[in-house]
Amino acid sequence: MIRLTCQENGVKVIDFNGKVYDFERENDQDQYFLENWFAAREKRSFMFISMRGLKERARQGKFIGGRARVGYKLVDSGEINKRGRHLKKREIDLQWAPLIRRIFEMIQYKSGHEVARELTRKGIEIPIQQKRFMARWGKKTRPITIHDVMDIARNPLYCGRIQWCRKYADSKYTRDYAGDTFFDPSLQIVSQEEFDRVQRIRTALFEFLFTEIFGIAIRSNEFIRSSDTPNKFVTTTKKTMQATFPKPQTRDISIHPDTHIGYVHLTVRDFKTALPFYQNVLGFKIHKNEKGVAHLGAGADDLLVLTENPDAKIQRFATGLYHFAILVPSRFELARSLRRLGEAEIQLGFGDHIVSEAIYLSDPDNNGIEVYRDRPRSDWYDKNGNFQMGTLPVDVRGVLSELQNETDEWQGLHRDTVLGHMHLKAANVTRDAKFYRDVIGLDEMANLGGTAAFLSAGGYHHHLGMNSWESANAPTPPRDSVGLQYFTINIPNSDELTRVANRVRAAGFELEETDAGLLARDPSKNGVVLTVNN
């Protein structure tokens, strides 16, 4: 009947492959196409109607099918559907709910593997939900795995939130109905606050931090805050790496050994979020704040200058700032900073680089920050006199044990805090390292095969780091972007400044006289100001 109607009205259909169905011939292909087309149309209509109905049942807190999660059981709801079947509803299973609460408590200060191992060691198991697996195990329970622990820790149902069509959000039939969340207090096993706290901890736990060695993902540090022992932290490293490099020799063009980094000038979008972060979380003091420019430090010289620009944009693929590094004078001060960052629930990463112990974080505008303390220089070299750097687990408990000697309240960064080094995103590390090595005069302490380089003055482990891990061949960011405007290199006297400036001009780079000093731009167009110590 359908085919005859199409014939009479001269209907033609062209599919995606260009095949024409004119319905003039009585063949199976044309008929098959029509049947499938109408079947798909009916399926879509049915799915939309069904989803609307099922979503409304979910909104009413009614169970709409499937297996009950661990911690819940299915009971008769007292309702009967059109087919005469008794409908079910979910209830908290008092036998297994305590296990769910216990897992949420443990996961806040242990890894998923540690939780699973500890529960298994104590003989605690979870129920098997599928009958075909009961036959395999020969019982109704089985040992807990890491996957069980993580599935429980991530499921919002345990705090009473039913997330509609979470798994099928990309389906063409269900995407219009996916994503809604309904709250049912009768299903709440853990509190909303505890569930959100676990999610924050797990997010920080699996945050992959930038790599310091060879430009590959070699470090994933875990930061866990213990709920039963305040201010206790645990850090582990899944992979570690260290390397040795020949000790660099002093050259005729080596810059003065007392050269160091002065301050860094950044663009941020909103002082209402940036200044409280730098002042209350990191512990900077505001030296001056006027006309949209704020000068911050630890009480002595400026270490950070911020310019507010509400229209500034964050550039995802560009050269610029990787991180700036705040050097505190002791391990005790590092412990104080770590405690404050933990109290503020900032997502952190850690790295023991042999030469230093470091904490990593980002500001509200995603500018990278490192807070670190140096080890004695004698620890920087191996028994053969080779310089060594790496990425190893930080002994966070050891760092925090320094607080046992605390006699006064933390008032912010110690006055002796300085800007220890800068780490830049480079479009080409080999080219940029040559500029800072052969033109500026910094000595190269380490080079990781052209993907990263570390340079310094006076044998320091590095005043300047650069890498192309996220910025190989990247463009220069617009001048009004969030991030780096320039950083300063403080040279101890004017004669040395003149010598360096002459090399910069001789190499074909422009020098611009500014209030801050002589501004140059490296081959990746990162701004560097040469100035004399005050």
Side-chain angles (χ1 to χ4, degrees):
M1 177 65 70
I2 296 173
R3 185 176 59 80
L4 292 175
T5 303
C6 290
Q7 283 180 351
E8 292 173 358
N9 292 276
V11 175
K12 292 184 180 181
V13 177
I14 302 175
D15 67 11
F16 290 106
N17 296 318
K19 182 174 176 58
V20 178
Y21 298 89
D22 55 11
F23 310 106
E24 293 295 330
R25 302 175 303 281
E26 294 186 12
N27 57 49
D28 293 337
Q29 224 174 13
D30 291 353
Q31 189 72 20
Y32 178 77
F33 170 83
L34 280 175
E35 290 173 355
N36 276 276
W37 187 83
F38 278 99
R41 180 180 172 187
E42 290 297 320
K43 181 180 179 181
R44 282 195 296 272
S45 176
F46 172 76
M47 288 295 291
F48 290 146
I49 294 172
S50 299
M51 282 296 159
R52 283 196 293 268
L54 291 173
K55 184 176 179 180
E56 184 56 35
R57 287 185 60 81
R59 191 189 302 277
Q60 295 170 7
K62 298 178 180 178
F63 183 65
I64 58 175
R67 297 187 304 272
R69 303 287 298 180
V70 178
Y72 300 97
K73 61 182 179 180
L74 298 180
V75 298
D76 194 337
S77 67
E79 294 184 56
I80 300 177
N81 65 10
K82 294 180 180 179
R83 298 181 181 179
R85 295 179 180 176
H86 289 267
L87 300 179
K88 304 285 186 180
K89 68 176 182 179
R90 259 184 304 234
E91 282 187 357
I92 294 176
D93 190 335
L94 299 180
Q95 179 183 356
W96 298 106
L99 174 60
I100 301 300
R101 296 190 188 97
R102 186 171 182 179
I103 289 174
F104 271 90
E105 290 173 359
M106 295 173 68
I107 201 67
Q108 296 181 50
Y109 60 94
K110 294 179 182 289
S111 70
H113 284 289
E114 290 173 327
V115 172
R117 279 198 300 266
E118 183 172 329
L119 294 176
T120 300
R121 188 168 57 249
K122 293 181 179 180
I124 300 174
E125 298 186 337
I126 62 171
I128 299 174
Q129 296 176 300
Q130 292 177 291
K131 292 183 179 179
R132 60 193 178 99
F133 290 123
M134 290 182 188
R136 178 185 300 177
W137 287 93
K139 55 182 181 179
K140 294 185 178 181
T141 60
R142 62 171 175 79
I144 297 175
T145 68
I146 171 65
H147 303 291
D148 299 321
V149 173
M150 299 315 300
D151 284 345
I152 290 170
R154 287 192 293 255
N155 196 332
L157 178 62
Y158 292 110
C159 67
R161 296 210 308 263
I162 303 171
Q163 196 165 353
W164 173 250
C165 281
R166 179 166 55 96
K167 292 185 177 180
Y168 308 105
D170 294 330
S171 168
K172 65 181 179 181
Y173 299 119
T174 61
R175 60 182 169 223
D176 294 335
Y177 304 98
D180 287 355
T181 301
F182 312 115
F183 178 68
D184 186 349
S186 67
L187 299 178
Q188 193 172 32
I189 296 178
V190 298
S191 68
Q192 179 72 57
E193 292 77 11
E194 185 173 11
F195 180 83
D196 290 342
R197 183 165 61 250
V198 167
Q199 304 320 302
R200 287 196 299 270
I201 292 173
R202 303 315 297 177
T203 299
L205 174 63
F206 292 105
E207 184 75 20
F208 279 88
L209 303 174
F210 51 80
T211 336
E212 292 285 355
I213 302 294
F214 298 135
I216 57 176
I218 61 161
R219 183 174 77 238
S220 174
N221 291 304
E222 299 179 353
F223 168 78
I224 309 172
R225 181 174 179 179
S226 169
S227 59
D228 59 346
T229 311
N231 300 326
K232 292 294 184 182
F233 300 84
V234 178
T235 180
T236 62
T237 301
K238 297 187 181 300
K239 295 185 181 180
T240 62
M241 184 72 71
Q242 68 181 85
T244 59
F245 307 89
K247 185 177 181 179
Q249 301 299 316
T250 302
R251 304 165 298 153
D252 291 338
I253 65 169
S254 291
I255 201 167
H256 195 287
D258 293 335
T259 300
H260 62 275
I261 303 298
Y263 66 87
V264 60
H265 191 160
L266 304 178
T267 298
V268 297
R269 291 176 294 186
D270 188 357
F271 274 179
K272 291 181 180 179
T273 57
L275 291 183
F277 171 83
Y278 281 104
Q279 188 174 15
N280 302 329
V281 177
L282 280 178
F284 279 96
K285 296 176 176 61
I286 299 178
H287 296 166
K288 184 170 64 174
N289 181 12
E290 58 185 17
K291 298 181 180 180
V293 179
H295 296 250
L296 299 89
D301 295 334
D302 291 343
L303 305 179
L304 175 66
V305 176
L306 301 177
T307 294
E308 183 182 37
N309 181 359
D311 298 325
K313 301 293 189 298
I314 295 176
Q315 305 299 321
R316 300 299 179 186
F317 180 64
T319 58
L321 178 72
Y322 198 62
H323 66 247
F324 67 92
I326 304 164
L327 173 59
V328 294
S330 65
R331 202 182 197 210
F332 171 70
E333 292 299 330
L334 184 67
R336 285 183 142 187
S337 292
L338 175 55
R339 180 181 60 189
R340 179 67 194 108
L341 293 168
E343 290 170 348
E345 297 186 340
I346 302 298
Q347 292 186 18
L348 302 176
F350 302 88
D352 183 333
H353 302 306
I354 303 175
V355 297
S356 63
E357 291 179 303
I359 307 168
Y360 296 98
L361 63 146
S362 297
D363 75 359
D365 291 285
N366 207 34
N367 291 308
I369 304 170
E370 174 183 345
V371 183
Y372 74 108
R373 71 100 182 180
D374 278 337
R375 283 196 171 92
R377 290 204 178 201
S378 58
D379 294 346
W380 299 358
Y381 298 89
D382 63 16
K383 60 182 180 180
N384 297 319
N386 293 319
F387 175 71
Q388 53 184 353
M389 284 185 69
T391 299
L392 305 172
V394 169
D395 179 12
V396 179
R397 293 188 186 277
V399 171
L400 289 171
S401 68
E402 299 286 332
L403 296 175
Q404 296 173 0
N405 303 319
E406 190 172 36
T407 59
D408 58 342
E409 292 187 3
W410 184 74
Q411 300 294 331
L413 291 172
H414 192 278
R415 185 178 177 85
D416 293 336
T417 299
V418 298
L419 188 61
H421 67 262
M422 293 292 301
H423 199 134
L424 305 176
K425 292 181 180 179
N428 185 310
V429 169
T430 301
R431 181 188 62 189
D432 288 17
K434 183 177 180 181
F435 169 79
Y436 286 104
R437 181 185 64 240
D438 299 337
V439 178
I440 300 297
L442 297 175
D443 296 320
E444 190 171 85
M445 300 296 291
N447 192 306
L448 309 180
T451 62
F454 301 89
L455 304 98
S456 74
Y460 189 60
H461 54 73
H462 68 294
H463 286 113
L464 181 67
M466 64 189 71
N467 71 69
S468 58
W469 304 330
E470 299 175 0
S471 56
N473 301 314
T476 304
R479 292 292 176 89
D480 60 350
S481 299
V482 165
L484 180 68
Q485 289 196 21
Y486 62 83
F487 67 96
T488 66
I489 296 179
N490 284 7
I491 299 172
N493 57 66
S494 56
D495 290 341
E496 182 68 6
L497 175 62
T498 300
R499 192 164 72 100
V500 175
N502 289 339
R503 285 203 302 267
V504 173
R505 293 189 180 98
F509 293 91
E510 293 183 2
L511 279 176
E512 178 186 350
E513 292 190 9
T514 67
D515 293 337
L518 298 177
L519 172 65
R521 295 200 175 272
D522 67 19
S524 291
K525 304 304 180 185
N526 294 312
V528 52
V529 169
L530 306 173
T531 185
V532 176
N533 289 342
N534 295 327

